[in-house]
Amino acid sequence: MAPIPQFDLNDGTKIPAVGLGCWMGNVEGAPRAYEMCIKALKAGYRHFDTASGYENEKEVGRAIRESGIPRKDIFITTKIPNPGHHNVKGEFEQSLKELDCEYIDLLLMHWPMANVMGPDGVNFVPRPDESPTYIETWKDMEKLLETGKVKSIGVSNFGAPLIEKLIPHCKVIPSNNQIECHPCLPQKDIRDVCAKYGITVTAYSPLGRGPVLMGNETINEVAKELNVTPAQVCLSWAVQQNVIVVPKSENKDRLAANLNIVTLSAEQMERVSSIHKEPGMHKSLLKYHVDGEVFGWTHEQLGWNMSSDGTVPK
Ligand SMILES: NC(=O)c1ccc[n+]([C@@H]2O[C@H](COP(=O)([O-])OP(=O)(O)OC[C@H]3O[C@@H](n4cnc5c(N)ncnc54)[C@H](OP(=O)(O)O)[C@@H]3O)[C@@H](O)[C@H]2O)c1
């Protein structure tokens, strides 16, 4: 197996360019995360992407501890959930307790919007200008660095305009923005703004959760040329553009293959990069998009350049 490439975060920390996505598709799947992480550690994974919202930090942490691999050789990312924006310190301490792993390598704000319990006992999503704003939440995350128990902080699901709005308020520039990214949604505008500020990008759902990309003709052609799987083409295409990937798999063979990054020729890169230009192909492959909103904010409020159904306008 080729060695896993390592990228540099803007604070000097190194991050393995391939990690294991630990979202099991629903919170009921959390117990399976333990077995998945055990298999992944055996396959050579050293970077794990979980979140408080996945409700499996305990299983991920237990697998890592039981592996006996030194803590310093493992990179753990977790995320502050939307209902935790007003209680960043408490949420962080809870994650640390669940993971039971001494420190967290990378803590992300999972989404820019908060979720707050109203006086009537019903939860609501504050507008971008209502407290707790993502700027307030970020300032609370910056304070956590003083504890020494989190090495790096970053954001997730931030569109390019939100990065631009956040930067002037930062004492610490985010080290990472985790976003949906794959050949149907290359996210060039967000990657460009992140590069401008030295923010690395992690691609979530880098396989687009399966069928559309795995069945794509161009991806299959390139896979055949390189004698690799379609998934390896998607992951290698991203890593070759300095994008970190966190594919999820519970299957031993797919876990091993996904870790094996190969080199695409310039011509193969161009072919994969052109997939989104085909009619109807430039789009999110997730089911978040309900009437132009994602978890209570419009695409515009998120700074996402998308139509109401998750397709990207020309
Ligand atoms: N920050 C955020 O808001 C956010 C949002 C979504 C996801 N994420 C993170 O990103 C991670 C990955 O995203 P995802 O789970 O949505 O989707 P994904 O990694 O794009 O796709 C996972 C799906 O692809 C299958 N698969 C894995 N390897 C394969 C291969 N080599 N060939 C064919 N199929 C393969 C998996 O099935 P098997 O398990 O059966 O192999 C699973 O059904 C998540 O686990 C989570 O950590 C973050």
Side-chain angles (χ1 to χ4, degrees):
M1 191 188 82
I4 306 163
Q6 305 265 326
F7 291 165
D8 292 317
L9 299 181
N10 58 14
D11 54 17
T13 307
K14 294 220 178 286
I15 182 169
V18 184
L20 179 70
C22 295
W23 171 233
M24 307 306 286
N26 50 48
V27 291
E28 290 73 33
R32 298 199 319 273
Y34 171 74
E35 293 299 336
M36 176 176 79
C37 290
I38 295 276
K39 282 187 225 167
L41 285 153
K42 284 192 185 139
Y45 283 77
R46 295 294 180 266
H47 168 185
F48 296 83
D49 181 76
T50 184
S52 161
Y54 301 170
E55 297 188 19
N56 63 21
E57 289 169 311
K58 198 170 259 175
E59 286 77 9
V60 174
R62 182 158 77 94
I64 290 171
R65 279 194 315 283
E66 288 180 7
S67 74
I69 296 166
R71 175 67 187 87
K72 66 172 178 45
D73 294 339
I74 300 215
F75 192 101
I76 305 177
T77 302
T78 193
K79 312 185 188 89
I80 299 282
N82 302 9
H85 280 216
H86 68 284
N87 178 29
V88 166
K89 189 164 179 284
E91 285 292 339
F92 161 69
E93 281 166 357
Q94 183 62 24
S95 284
L96 208 51
K97 192 170 150 209
E98 292 286 311
L99 283 160
D100 193 8
C101 64
E102 297 166 49
Y103 62 90
I104 288 164
D105 292 276
L106 176 61
L107 183 70
L108 302 178
M109 190 188 316
H110 204 151
W111 288 87
M113 74 286 276
N115 189 300
V116 173
M117 172 85 77
D120 51 2
V122 177
N123 275 58
F124 73 99
V125 179
R127 291 190 316 258
D129 57 348
E130 286 178 330
S131 193
T133 65
Y134 54 83
I135 293 167
E136 290 167 341
T137 303
W138 182 252
K139 285 179 184 298
D140 285 345
M141 289 178 68
E142 288 179 333
K143 288 183 204 142
L144 294 179
L145 290 169
E146 291 159 17
T147 66
K149 292 193 169 168
V150 57
K151 306 285 179 198
S152 306
I153 53 175
V155 295
S156 177
N157 292 300
F158 273 52
L162 266 62
I163 294 284
E164 292 284 10
K165 282 183 194 153
L166 178 65
I167 292 290
H169 302 276
C170 292
K171 274 193 201 145
V172 177
I173 302 287
S175 60
N176 183 258
N177 185 15
Q178 185 177 119
I179 53 173
E180 182 185 352
C181 182
H182 44 67
C184 282
L185 195 65
Q187 304 271 34
K188 184 83 170 66
D189 59 331
I190 305 183
R191 288 195 281 126
D192 283 349
V193 81
C194 287
K196 180 165 102 178
Y197 295 110
I199 302 168
T200 55
V201 169
T202 298
Y204 73 64
S205 308
L207 308 175
R209 292 200 174 149
V212 172
L213 291 173
M214 299 304 98
N216 179 269
E217 204 180 317
T218 306
I219 290 173
N220 277 275
E221 276 168 15
V222 174
K224 214 167 164 195
E225 288 159 20
L226 292 167
N227 196 21
V228 298
T229 64
Q232 279 172 282
V233 172
C234 292
L235 301 172
S236 303
W237 168 84
V239 170
Q240 211 160 316
Q241 299 175 86
N242 298 321
V243 173
I244 300 151
V245 290
V246 286
K248 173 260 172 193
S249 181
E250 293 175 69
N251 175 280
K252 188 170 164 263
D253 295 336
R254 291 195 284 275
L255 276 167
N258 291 352
L259 203 51
N260 203 354
I261 295 300
V262 296
T263 304
L264 276 64
S265 70
E267 187 268 332
Q268 288 166 331
M269 284 296 287
E270 184 51 38
R271 267 151 67 202
V272 178
S273 295
S274 296
I275 290 171
H276 75 284
K277 296 177 190 161
E278 294 162 22
M281 287 299 275
H282 199 178
K283 58 188 177 189
S284 165
L285 293 175
L286 303 186
K287 307 251 181 285
Y288 291 149
H289 311 268
V290 181
D291 297 332
E293 288 196 356
V294 181
F295 300 138
W297 277 13
T298 63
H299 290 145
E300 196 183 343
Q301 288 171 325
L302 281 158
W304 293 4
N305 176 26
M306 273 177 198
S307 304
S308 56
D309 59 355
T311 57
V312 180
K314 282 224 168 30

